[in-house]
Amino acid sequence: MSTPNPPRTALRSALTALAVLLAALFLAPPPASAAPVPPATFTEVTGFGANPSNLRMWAYAPANVSARPAVLVAVHWCGGSATDMYNGSEYKSLADRYGFVVVYPSVTRASKCWDVASPQALKRGGGSDPVGIKSMVDWAVTNYAADTGKIFVTGMSSGAMMTNVLLGDYPDVFAAGAAFAGVPFACFATTNGSEWNSDCANGTIIRTPQAWGDLVRGAYPGYTGPRPRMQVWHGTQDDVLRYPNFGEEIKQWTDVHGLTQTPSATDSPNGWTRTRYGGTGDQAPVEAISIQTGHNVYASGMGARVLTFFGLTPDPGPGNPNPTGPCKVTSSVSAWNTGLTNSVTLTNTGTAALSGWRLTFTLPAGQTITNGWGATYAPASGAVTATNAAYNAALAPGASVTVGYQASHTGNAAAPSAFSLNGTACA
């Protein structure tokens, strides 16, 4: 016996209900999506993609993150961590100012050093740390709709070596890099599983420009696209990764760009020696900065110069990365095995006189102030506030005051970062 057709009124009701449901699905606005990480919060990210060497990832996105932001990968030194890089550099405060996203990779192997030596690391898609970092970049691009033409990387020491490696492995991903106290791509190469190459560290591996360039080109055979620009920094008295590596990096990256080793421009900002190759402006293909200092070459204010090279900020000018700000700070660190002193000069670049001041800054991880002069300092580590003494409370427009402190450290003797005067960021 056949089933009777439903009554016409019931059919009409069913069709009406279906129309209402379809309207709800297709006409209603989509629910608001949550930010990938909480704004203005240093946050660990998991499940970011292929990660053959078990790296960890942290990210920082400012509250005012730009539409289609740039992405900066900030790579820590040997023995450090993502947290150390976050606390020991200026990129968080610069991200707040300019709206880009920062990715902080972190090593989990016992040495806390990056793999810049294995055959896997020195080949595009070969495995090890570069693959994990590339996955972090992909995560940031996807989750923030980032501008793929504005992906950058910077690092210190082992992180500077990784900067060289990433530019070699992924020239189609990174627009530019900045390496503080590093070595050329593949200089640290080993085949016995060792993470350390003494010949390279001691600056005794000397090659022709073409030989260095061929090592970079060999990481991604057949690639014919544009190459990332490179900025290299090195201390003339570096006793960890010795100074000849600076010249070898210049040879490598000028050859990669098809340039000679004859500078297009030479100048001396802040008493440094800066040479530019293939151009005379802020975004020359290769820029090299030599400083009369040791291995800990990075200091406050250099992050702004990195961003200028990347094309994310205007030229900060000699000694003043933010000439329109209310204050300028210069910091001069003298370090030994477990301790350091830092002389800090604060200049009131605003238009109003100060009758009292509080200078806040962030000490790198492992540093603890043991005594100070010209101000009171509290707490002794982390985010520190220096409060004026009675005799130097008044600070007229254009006037400066010099204070300082002595501190212990556990290996990182870098200058503090994120200076603010009475709550407003300084240059």
Side-chain angles (χ1 to χ4, degrees):
M1 184 176 178
S2 62
T3 303
N5 291 329
R8 186 171 297 174
T9 56
L11 181 59
R12 186 180 297 114
S13 297
L15 291 173
T16 300
L18 179 61
V20 171
L21 176 62
L22 290 174
L25 289 174
F26 292 102
L27 299 180
S33 59
V37 297
T41 304
F42 181 63
T43 304
E44 184 169 11
V45 176
T46 58
F48 49 82
N51 184 21
S53 54
N54 195 33
L55 303 179
R56 296 174 72 181
M57 171 188 176
W58 275 260
Y60 180 85
N64 62 332
V65 65
S66 301
R68 300 194 71 234
V71 175
L72 172 61
V73 180
V75 193
H76 67 73
W77 51 91
C78 189
S81 67
T83 301
D84 292 335
M85 189 67 177
Y86 174 78
N87 290 325
S89 65
E90 302 160 286
Y91 300 113
K92 177 265 182 193
S93 59
L94 290 167
D96 288 337
R97 187 178 303 174
Y98 297 110
F100 58 88
V101 174
V102 191
V103 168
Y104 297 91
S106 201
V107 172
T108 58
R109 64 178 60 88
S111 66
K112 298 295 190 292
C113 298
W114 296 98
D115 176 13
V116 295
S118 75
Q120 292 76 23
L122 299 173
K123 178 182 177 183
R124 177 187 176 83
S128 196
D129 297 347
V131 169
I133 296 175
K134 167 63 162 53
S135 295
M136 298 178 196
V137 170
D138 291 342
W139 179 94
V141 168
T142 298
N143 284 278
Y144 286 97
D147 186 340
T148 55
K150 294 182 179 179
I151 310 298
F152 306 98
V153 58
T154 185
M156 306 173 194
S157 192
S158 181
M161 298 189 216
M162 179 52 70
T163 297
N164 278 267
V165 168
L166 288 169
L167 296 195
D169 286 356
Y170 296 103
D172 54 332
V173 172
F174 294 97
F180 288 83
V183 302
F185 177 95
C187 183
F188 245 57
T190 61
T191 56
N192 60 0
S194 173
E195 296 178 23
W196 188 257
N197 185 320
S198 294
D199 290 339
C200 179
N202 290 329
T204 61
I205 297 181
I206 307 298
R207 293 190 169 102
T208 65
Q210 182 174 340
W212 281 123
D214 286 345
L215 289 169
V216 171
R217 289 182 283 268
Y220 187 4
Y223 177 74
T224 58
R227 292 285 176 172
R229 295 179 299 107
M230 181 54 139
Q231 182 187 64
V232 293
W233 302 68
H234 221 99
T236 59
Q237 301 159 37
D238 194 327
D239 58 356
V240 178
L241 301 172
R242 295 191 179 273
Y243 188 62
N245 284 299
F246 177 65
E248 300 305 295
E249 284 179 291
I250 294 172
K251 286 183 187 178
Q252 183 170 69
W253 292 104
T254 51
D255 183 81
V256 165
H257 283 277
L259 305 171
T260 71
Q261 283 74 61
T262 302
S264 301
T266 302
D267 62 359
S268 301
N270 295 318
W272 310 333
T273 299
R274 177 171 64 185
T275 50
R276 288 168 166 167
Y277 304 82
T280 60
D282 293 331
Q283 286 87 53
V286 179
E287 181 173 275
I289 301 169
S290 175
I291 304 175
Q292 297 288 328
T293 190
H295 184 61
N296 294 320
V297 66
Y298 182 90
S300 177
M302 293 178 181
R305 290 191 173 275
V306 169
L307 296 194
T308 298
F309 178 74
F310 290 166
L312 298 179
T313 68
D315 184 357
N320 189 0
N322 182 24
T324 62
C327 48
K328 179 180 74 173
V329 173
T330 59
S331 180
S332 178
V333 175
S334 297
W336 58 93
N337 290 344
T338 60
L340 60 88
T341 60
N342 187 15
S343 178
V344 178
T345 299
L346 166 66
T347 302
N348 178 5
T349 57
T351 57
L354 300 176
S355 58
W357 51 265
R358 291 176 297 103
L359 181 67
T360 59
F361 52 87
T362 301
L363 287 178
Q367 290 188 17
T368 302
I369 293 175
T370 54
N371 62 75
W373 53 94
T376 57
Y377 300 85
S381 60
V384 177
T385 297
T387 303
N388 63 267
Y391 66 86
N392 61 12
L395 201 58
S400 299
V401 59
T402 298
V403 300
Y405 58 84
Q406 183 172 337
S408 60
H409 68 83
T410 58
N412 180 10
S417 61
F419 287 98
S420 292
L421 175 63
N422 297 341
T424 302
C426 293

